[in-house]
Structure formats: C-alpha cells, structure tokens
Amino acid sequence: MPKKSKLLSLVMSIVLLFSVAFIPMGVASAEEELSEEDLELIELLTAIENMPDEIILQGEDAIKAHIESEVSFHLELNENGESVVFRAASVSSIAGCVGAVGTALVVNFTPAKILKIKSALKSVGGATKFVKAVKPYYQMSREDKLSKTASLNQAVRLAAKDAGPDTREALLDLFGVSSVVGSCAAAFGN
C-alpha cells in the first residue's frame, strides 16, 4: 500500500474516532432516559400516529373513542370543549399538555388535518423521536429568552427539520393551538 494511502487511511480513522468520541452535548441530552410524563405524551402521539384512516374519517366520536382505547387515561370534554383529564397515574404538568393535545385534536381539527398530523408524526421518525427532540429544543429556546409560544414553535420546527414543509406545518398547527402552548410549555420546561 502506498505511503499516501496509508496516511490518508490513518487521518480518516482519526477523524472518525474523534467525531464519535466528541458528540455534541445537545445531541447526547436528546438520548437521555424519558420521564414518566414524557412517556404519557408519547403514548398520546403514538395513538394518533397509529390511528387507522377509517376511524379518522368517521369523525370526532370515533377519534375520541380510539384515543381512549389506546391510552391509559380518560379524556372527557365539557360543554365548552375544554379537556378534563382523568389520570390513572400521577397528575403532573404533562397531564395538562396531554389533555390539551387530545382536545385540540378532537375539537379543533378536521379529519383531513388529522391525517396530515398522523403522516407528519410518521415522517419525523415517530412520536418517541419527536418528543425526545422537542423538549431540549424548547428548553434551549427558553434559555435564549424567546417567549413560550416562540420557543414551542421553534422546537417543533427543529424537531421536524428533516421533514417537508407540509409536515412542519401540520405539527405547528397542532402545537400552535393556544391551550396546547400554555399547557405544553409548562410540561417542557419553564
């Protein structure tokens, strides 16, 4: 093997070794173990992601029934369309976020929009990957002194950065509902 090839091979090996050894801390933090609260949000988003199209096309009652059959909590809507979440597990700030997302989905979105949200969750790698990415991006945005709304919008955009514009828009629509912003901001950080 010529000297130049050996040298090039050695340099490339060193570069590869250093790139793996020194992964940026922001990337490593996205791989941290998920809390029970994060898992509850993932549970709801997974129910949306895996919802059969025929159920979505049946409308609000079928969507609500499907969500309730797939998650470990009961979602009720009062006369004002606001969510009342009955939890089997401990009540936390994420409970408000989960309830707000569930209510927004059932009350605020047409079947066509829900199909886009479902597709968007799949295209960003699924609910787990999405939640793992949103939380640190949200916290980073808040540290940069952005408002809760701007931080959540930026976090969703960054978490869906590899997806197309329609995907980002569908997720921004879901997480842009004012009740979702208010509830999820507390769940993702400050």
Side-chain angles (χ1 to χ4, degrees):
M1 186 181 235
K3 270 188 166 180
K4 286 185 178 182
S5 294
K6 286 182 182 178
L7 182 61
L8 182 61
S9 179
L10 178 65
V11 170
M12 294 302 285
S13 297
I14 291 171
V15 168
L16 179 61
L17 178 66
F18 279 111
S19 68
V20 171
F22 297 106
I23 295 173
M25 294 308 280
V27 173
S29 67
E31 296 300 321
E32 292 175 0
E33 194 170 316
L34 294 171
S35 69
E36 183 178 334
E37 292 83 13
D38 295 332
L39 292 173
E40 292 171 352
L41 181 57
I42 290 169
E43 183 180 2
L44 174 64
L45 293 177
T46 300
I48 296 166
E49 180 183 356
N50 296 329
M51 190 180 308
D53 292 353
E54 53 273 3
I55 290 177
I56 294 171
L57 296 174
Q58 290 175 20
E60 185 177 314
D61 292 334
I63 293 166
K64 182 176 172 257
H66 176 77
I67 289 173
E68 287 180 339
S69 72
E70 296 295 314
V71 297
S72 61
F73 57 88
H74 183 68
L75 179 65
E76 282 292 326
L77 304 178
N78 67 19
E79 303 80 41
N80 299 327
E82 298 167 346
S83 65
V84 181
V85 180
F86 298 97
R87 314 271 326 151
S90 63
V91 177
S92 63
S93 58
I94 202 80
C97 177
V98 170
V101 169
T103 300
L105 184 77
V106 173
V107 174
N108 296 343
F109 294 107
T110 64
K113 187 59 112 176
I114 295 170
L115 288 169
K116 281 186 180 180
I117 292 167
K118 174 187 167 180
S119 175
L121 287 167
K122 287 183 180 193
S123 72
V124 297
T128 301
K129 184 175 179 181
F130 180 71
V131 171
K132 279 183 174 181
V134 167
K135 192 170 185 175
Y137 285 136
Y138 176 81
Q139 291 168 346
M140 182 177 61
S141 298
R142 290 296 288 155
E143 288 171 6
D144 289 342
K145 307 289 186 225
L146 293 178
S147 70
K148 291 177 181 178
T149 301
S151 294
L152 191 54
N153 284 338
Q154 180 168 318
V156 170
R157 272 191 204 95
L158 290 170
K161 68 182 173 221
D162 294 332
D166 289 344
T167 297
R168 282 191 299 277
E169 283 305 313
L171 292 170
L172 284 167
D173 286 348
L174 177 60
F175 284 90
V177 174
S178 61
S179 62
V180 173
V181 171
S183 298
C184 292
F188 291 138
N190 52 6

